[in-house]
Amino acid sequence: MAGDNTVGRLADEPVDHRFKALPPDAETAGLTVGALAAQRRNLFTGGFTTPVLALSAESVEHNLALLETYSERHGLAFAPHGKTSMSPQLFARQLAYGAWGITAAVPHQARVYRAYGIQRIFLANEVVDPPALRWLAHELNADPDFRFMCYVDSVRGVELMDEALRGTGRPLDVVVELGAGDGARTGARSEADCAAVADAVAAVETLRLVGVAGYEGEVPQADADRVRAWLRRLTALAADFDKASRFAATEEIVISAGGSAWFDAVADVFAEIPDLSLPVLKLLRSGAYVSHDDGHYRHLTPFNRVPDEGRLQPAFRLWAQVVSRPTQEQAFVNAGKRDAAYDLDLPEAQVVRDGRTGEIRPATGITVSGLSDQHGWVRTTSEARLEVGDWIGMGLSHPCTSFDKWQLIPLVEADGTVTDYIRTFF
C-alpha cells in the first residue's frame, strides 16, 4: 500500500548539504525546502552557487498541457514514463494534466511511485525477481484500488512469476510483449512465441492476461514505414488474441506502445484498431516530453513531422560559471560530467550572463567542446565576449540523464524567480 508520505511533505525536508547549488545561507538559517520556495529567490542574485540546473516553469506547464491535448485528440490514454524524472511532484502534475497512470521500468521505481500514492502503474519490463513480485502482491492485496500491470515475454518468465506469486492472492495483470524485430531489445520475437507465452499465462492462476504491448523505438533501422508495420503487427496480435478469447478474464484490452520519438505513428495506427469484444485501453507511454531537451529529442520529436499539432519547449538550462580563461581560444566552466548529461550530446552554450552587469546575451562564438568530471571545456572564437566570473547558460540533451544528476532542481520562471524545487529519487 502507498505509504504515509505525500508529495506535500517533500516541502518539509531541510535544505542542507545533500542538495547541490542551493543557497548556503538557507541551511544556516534552518530553512526547509518549502520555506526557501516561499521566499521566491532569484536564481542569479539569491545566493545560489554554481553549477545550478534550472527547470523552466513555463515550459514544463506548456509541455504538460500539450501532451494532454494530443492524447485527448487522438483517443489515447497516457501513462508517461516516470523513469525520465523520477519526481513525485512532476508525476502529480502529469496526473493533474490527465495522465491515466505512470510507467516504470524496474521494481524500485514502482516502490517510489507507491510511496507517493500512484494508483496505476504500467511496468514496461518482465518482473522475475521473487522479492519484488512478493512486494507487488502485498501492494495489490492491501489496496483494492491499486492497478498494476507488467510485461511477460517468455514461458520461463511466466514460470518464475508463478512460483513467486503462488498463494499471494490477487492475480497480477500482464501484457505479452512483442519484440520490435531481430536484434531489438526485449519481447517475444514472433506471433507464435507470443501465443506460447499467452498459453503459459492461461495455465496459471497467479497471472491474468490483459493485453499486448511493446516499444517501437527499438525497430531496427526505424523509419515511418517500418515503425507503422511493426505497430500493425502489435494491433493484429491483440485482435488475434481477442478472437481466440484469450482476454476472457479481463474487462478491457490493453494495447500499449509509444516512446518519445514515434508517438505520431502510434496515434495513427492505434486509430485503425477495429472493434474488439471488449473496450480497448490505447496506452501511450512517452516520458521525455515533460522537460524535452535541446539535443536528442529536439531532433527526434514527432512534432517536427506534425507541426500543426504543437511544439514542445526545452525546459532545462544548466548554468555554470567561467572559472578559468587561460587563452583567447579557451575557457573552463565549473560544470562537468557530474552535472550535465553527456551520453548523447555535449551541452549547448546558449547565453552568457555578464558577471559585472547581469546582462544576458547570446553565447556567440562559444562552444562546449568536452567535459571532465567537474569542468566543462569551452572553445571560443574572436566573437566571444567572455571572462572569468561570467555565467554560461547551456541547453542539455537527453532528459533522463539530466534529471538523475540532481536531487533537487529549482523550478524557475522566465524572470529568474524560483517558485519551487523539484525532488528526484534515482
Side-chain angles (χ1 to χ4, degrees):
M1 181 179 294
D4 292 332
N5 291 322
T6 65
V7 172
R9 288 195 173 91
L10 292 171
D12 297 333
E13 285 195 90
V15 175
D16 58 26
H17 61 276
R18 293 172 297 163
F19 305 124
K20 296 191 289 186
L22 297 197
D25 66 282
E27 180 176 6
T28 303
L31 297 183
T32 63
V33 172
L36 180 59
Q39 292 183 353
R40 295 177 62 85
R41 295 196 186 192
N42 186 277
L43 185 73
F44 306 111
T45 62
F48 293 85
T49 63
T50 55
V52 56
L53 181 64
L55 195 60
S56 164
E58 295 88 352
S59 294
V60 167
E61 291 299 310
H62 169 87
N63 294 343
L64 290 168
L66 180 57
L67 260 292
E68 178 185 34
T69 300
Y70 184 88
S71 299
E72 290 177 349
R73 183 184 300 128
H74 292 280
L76 301 171
F78 189 30
H81 211 316
K83 55 106 175 166
T84 298
S85 71
M86 286 306 296
S87 169
Q89 291 151 289
L90 292 180
F91 299 161
R93 298 300 296 144
Q94 289 170 314
L95 293 169
Y97 274 91
W100 173 90
I102 306 293
T103 294
V106 292
H108 160 72
Q109 293 168 359
R111 290 184 62 199
V112 174
Y113 299 2
R114 289 299 286 160
Y116 290 91
I118 302 300
Q119 287 293 87
R120 291 173 175 170
I121 298 174
F122 183 102
L123 198 151
N125 238 329
E126 186 171 69
V127 181
V128 294
D129 183 353
L133 289 163
R134 288 192 291 269
W135 170 79
L136 282 168
H138 176 269
E139 292 291 301
L140 289 165
N141 291 332
D143 184 356
D145 294 325
F146 174 40
R147 185 170 183 192
F148 175 91
M149 66 187 85
C150 69
Y151 286 173
V152 285
D153 80 345
S154 65
V155 172
R156 175 58 176 156
V158 171
E159 293 172 353
L160 290 168
M161 296 173 83
D162 179 53
E163 289 174 8
L165 292 170
R166 284 176 197 163
T168 57
R170 184 175 159 193
L172 187 70
D173 286 349
V174 295
V175 294
V176 173
E177 183 193 6
L178 174 66
D182 292 338
R185 204 160 62 187
T186 56
R189 287 302 191 251
S190 70
E191 283 76 1
D193 291 339
C194 289
V197 175
D199 287 340
V201 172
V204 302
E205 296 181 354
T206 54
L207 304 177
R208 182 176 74 150
L209 183 65
V210 299
V212 298
Y215 175 49
E216 75 291 341
E218 284 291 313
V219 170
Q221 299 176 313
D223 60 21
D225 290 340
R226 290 187 177 94
V227 167
R228 283 175 169 79
W230 178 82
L231 287 165
R232 290 189 177 100
R233 285 182 60 198
L234 181 69
T235 57
L237 180 67
D240 289 346
F241 277 12
D242 183 46
K243 187 176 181 179
S245 300
R246 293 187 184 277
F247 300 126
T250 187
E251 300 79 37
E252 67 178 358
I253 298 168
V254 178
I255 306 177
S256 179
S260 295
W262 291 104
F263 57 74
D264 58 331
V266 174
D268 291 345
V269 175
F270 279 16
E272 303 169 357
I273 295 172
D275 289 338
L276 302 181
S277 66
L278 294 167
V280 177
L281 182 71
K282 303 174 183 179
L283 196 60
L284 182 70
R285 306 193 307 269
S286 313
Y289 82 102
V290 68
S291 66
H292 197 43
D293 73 4
D294 280 297
H296 186 67
Y297 288 104
R298 179 177 64 192
H299 300 301
L300 290 184
T301 176
F303 288 116
N304 292 337
R305 295 186 291 270
V306 288
D308 290 346
E309 300 238 34
R311 180 177 178 273
L312 291 169
Q313 297 176 0
F316 276 130
R317 180 162 282 173
L318 177 66
W319 290 95
Q321 198 165 30
V322 178
V323 293
S324 181
R325 186 78 161 101
T327 72
Q328 289 301 305
E329 294 79 33
Q330 194 175 41
F332 291 88
V333 295
N334 60 349
K337 293 179 180 178
R338 304 296 176 88
D339 313 296
Y342 60 92
D343 55 318
L344 295 177
D345 301 286
L346 288 172
E348 177 186 88
Q350 295 177 330
V351 294
V352 175
R353 185 177 188 275
D354 193 286
R356 298 178 187 271
T357 67
E359 170 204 10
I360 293 180
R361 59 180 180 267
T364 304
I366 299 170
T367 305
V368 178
S369 58
L371 295 176
S372 300
D373 281 354
Q374 307 287 182
H375 290 89
W377 294 60
V378 177
R379 186 170 60 246
T380 58
T381 69
S382 59
E383 299 176 283
R385 293 168 52 201
L386 197 67
E387 65 176 348
V388 170
D390 291 344
W391 289 27
I392 298 180
M394 296 172 282
L396 301 177
S397 179
H398 198 185
C400 301
T401 53
S402 297
F403 276 106
D404 71 3
K405 293 173 174 56
W406 296 82
Q407 289 184 287
L408 205 61
I409 304 170
L411 188 68
V412 184
E413 293 181 341
D415 66 357
T417 301
V418 179
T419 61
D420 203 355
Y421 297 85
I422 303 301
R423 186 72 157 92
T424 66
F425 292 88
F426 285 95

